[in-house]
Amino acid sequence: MESMYRIYPEKRYRKTLAILKQFVSSGTTILDLGVRNPFSEVMEKEGYRVINTQGEDLDLFPEKLRSYQGEMVTALEILEHLVNPFGVLQQLPAQRLLVTVPLRLWFATAYRNAKDPRDCHYHEFEPWQLDMLLEKAGWQIKYREKWTHPVGKIGLRPLLRYFVPRYYAVYAERMTND
């Protein structure tokens, strides 16, 4: 059997997939927020049925999420692109959620693509901020994990990326009113 490292050379793919497999069995239908992307294909290769949102403006129309079906929602590196992720998190049509976000780094500015206003990070979270956002939106956190993202370059910032976590993943379940 091929190692996950050779199949998925990107560390964030390996980590995210390992967390997904820990909580969600193969064959599950997943609503993956955002347009189809390389990780959508990774999930399908691993046996998940993936439905992507098709570019709706989730900031303006989060209620459109209710028209989708899925046993699970993944919000993988998308919440940071939303002006208001709170409304989206409230409207998710499933009981289980896996979120990954880039963490705010004290030594780097937030990502911004000046040529594409949809490709900007309005938020780069500290873990407590994402935790609070999820809990206020009605989610109970069951698992958390952070990891680093070395870039293989020379310099102070690349060195810091070996030690300072860059990504944060959270698995959560919708709170019940018991």
Side-chain angles (χ1 to χ4, degrees):
M1 175 183 269
E2 279 188 272
S3 77
M4 193 183 292
Y5 186 81
R6 275 186 290 196
I7 297 172
Y8 308 115
E10 287 193 48
K11 183 178 184 178
R12 64 190 173 110
Y13 284 10
R14 291 191 315 274
K15 290 284 202 179
T16 303
L17 184 59
I19 295 166
L20 185 65
K21 285 182 169 187
Q22 185 176 341
F23 294 101
V24 184
S25 59
S26 181
T28 300
T29 300
I30 295 174
L31 172 60
D32 184 29
L33 299 185
V35 297
R36 188 164 178 77
N37 59 75
F39 198 74
S40 303
E41 295 171 17
V42 168
M43 290 188 288
E44 287 176 343
K45 184 175 181 179
E46 294 296 321
Y48 298 100
R49 291 187 301 270
V50 179
I51 302 163
N52 288 92
T53 56
Q54 298 304 315
E56 292 95 338
D57 190 330
L58 297 178
D59 276 317
L60 294 176
F61 305 105
E63 67 279 357
K64 286 190 174 186
L65 289 168
R66 290 287 177 190
S67 67
Y68 287 96
Q69 299 295 314
E71 302 166 64
M72 167 87 184
V73 173
T74 55
L76 307 173
E77 296 179 48
I78 191 167
L79 296 183
E80 66 275 11
H81 295 275
L82 299 173
V83 174
N84 180 15
F86 182 76
V88 170
L89 291 169
Q90 284 186 307
Q91 296 293 325
L92 295 177
Q95 300 299 307
R96 299 181 297 162
L97 171 66
L98 176 61
V99 175
T100 61
V101 295
L103 289 172
R104 181 178 162 270
L105 299 176
W106 56 269
F107 55 86
T109 59
Y111 173 76
R112 179 175 181 238
N113 180 343
K115 295 178 182 179
D116 183 356
R118 291 176 50 166
D119 189 21
C120 296
H121 289 183
Y122 293 101
H123 311 279
E124 287 192 343
F125 295 91
E126 292 185 32
W128 69 267
Q129 291 171 310
L130 181 62
D131 292 355
M132 183 187 296
L133 177 65
L134 289 167
E135 289 167 2
K136 285 190 172 266
W139 295 92
Q140 182 177 22
I141 296 169
K142 301 290 188 175
Y143 179 84
R144 302 170 175 90
E145 185 172 338
K146 293 185 258 184
W147 64 87
T148 61
H149 185 68
V151 293
K153 296 180 181 176
I154 297 174
L156 180 58
R157 283 191 216 181
L159 178 64
L160 289 170
R161 289 181 187 274
Y162 276 94
F163 305 105
V164 178
R166 175 61 173 152
Y167 294 104
Y168 184 47
V170 173
Y171 170 76
E173 296 176 357
R174 192 173 297 283
M175 289 185 205
T176 58
N177 294 330
D178 295 345

